[in-house]
Structures are given as C-alpha cells and as structure tokens.
Amino acid sequence: LRFPQKLWKMLESGQFQSIWWSEGGKCVAINKELFEVEVLGREGQQVFHTQKIKSFMRQLNAYGFTKMQRDFQRSASLPEFLAEEAAASAHSQILYYYNPSFNRAHPWLSEMCKRR
C-alpha cells in the first residue's frame, strides 16, 4: 500500500489512540509523543518504514499534507489566562495535518494524494 492508503487504514481501524480524524473527518490529528511509542516504536510490526517522527512528517508533506496551527482565544483575566495556557500546552503535543484530497466523508479522493 502507498502511504495515503496506510494512513487511511490506520485512521479507520480504531486500533491506535495516537492518531484520529479531527475537524469532522477533514484533518488528521496526531498525539506526537504517543504516536512515537505506539506506532513508530513497534518492534517487528512497523506500519511505516521509519521510527522517526520527522521522517513521518516529511512523508505527510510529500503527499500534500500541510500542518495546521491551532489558535486559542486568550482571556483577559489572569486566572482564566493561566488555565487556558495549561490546556494549550497539553494541546501542543497534538499535530493537525490537512490535505483537501484526504477526507473521511470522501474516501475516493485519497487516490488523488500523489507524492510530490
């Protein structure tokens, strides 16, 4: 299988906690720390031919995925601001990738994901 098909299969399997559909099936969300252990650190059963997150991210980029930034609205009050900062730092381990041809509602579009 090509990289997009492997990724699709992984997302649909429900077998992994470190990667899931986000934004209503329009984005891929990855918990970076957990993904490195759960997927890339597998002994003998590698899904992708790498053990490094940077190589995996390069593959995403090579197939037209772009990293999305999460913008958090900040409160004016100090206690609320600090609580939001704590939530945002926990959220910073989550990476979001988008490709217009990779959409859960339209599986046939994934055939259009070609290596650049």
Side-chain angles (χ1 to χ4, degrees):
L1 293 175
R2 293 178 331 123
F3 179 82
Q5 281 79 28
K6 287 180 186 179
L7 183 61
W8 186 280
K9 207 171 170 181
M10 175 180 274
L11 287 161
E12 289 295 308
S13 76
Q15 184 180 356
F16 301 95
Q17 295 178 7
S18 59
I19 187 167
W20 62 93
W21 289 106
S22 180
E23 306 293 324
K26 294 180 182 170
C27 291
V28 176
I30 303 165
N31 179 319
K32 184 180 169 186
E33 237 174 56
L34 185 56
F35 188 80
E36 287 178 300
V37 174
E38 184 182 47
V39 178
L40 301 178
R42 294 178 110 192
E43 292 293 324
Q45 295 180 338
Q46 287 185 321
V47 179
F48 302 102
H49 298 289
T50 185
Q51 293 180 323
K52 297 181 181 170
I53 191 74
K54 285 191 183 258
S55 296
F56 177 77
M57 292 186 319
R58 270 196 294 278
Q59 281 280 70
L60 286 168
N61 292 326
Y63 280 93
F65 287 83
T66 55
K67 189 174 180 183
M68 295 179 57
Q69 299 297 323
R70 286 290 182 228
D71 295 326
F72 293 97
Q73 296 287 330
R74 300 289 191 229
S75 296
S77 78
L78 183 60
E80 287 179 22
F81 177 80
L82 293 173
E84 289 168 359
E85 276 298 305
S89 77
H91 221 297
S92 70
Q93 283 295 317
I94 313 270
L95 306 172
Y96 296 91
Y97 282 90
Y98 170 77
N99 182 324
S101 298
F102 201 82
N103 186 313
R104 188 178 197 179
H106 308 292
W108 59 88
L109 287 178
S110 67
E111 291 299 318
M112 298 172 74
C113 291
K114 303 285 186 211
R115 189 173 179 88
R116 292 180 183 171

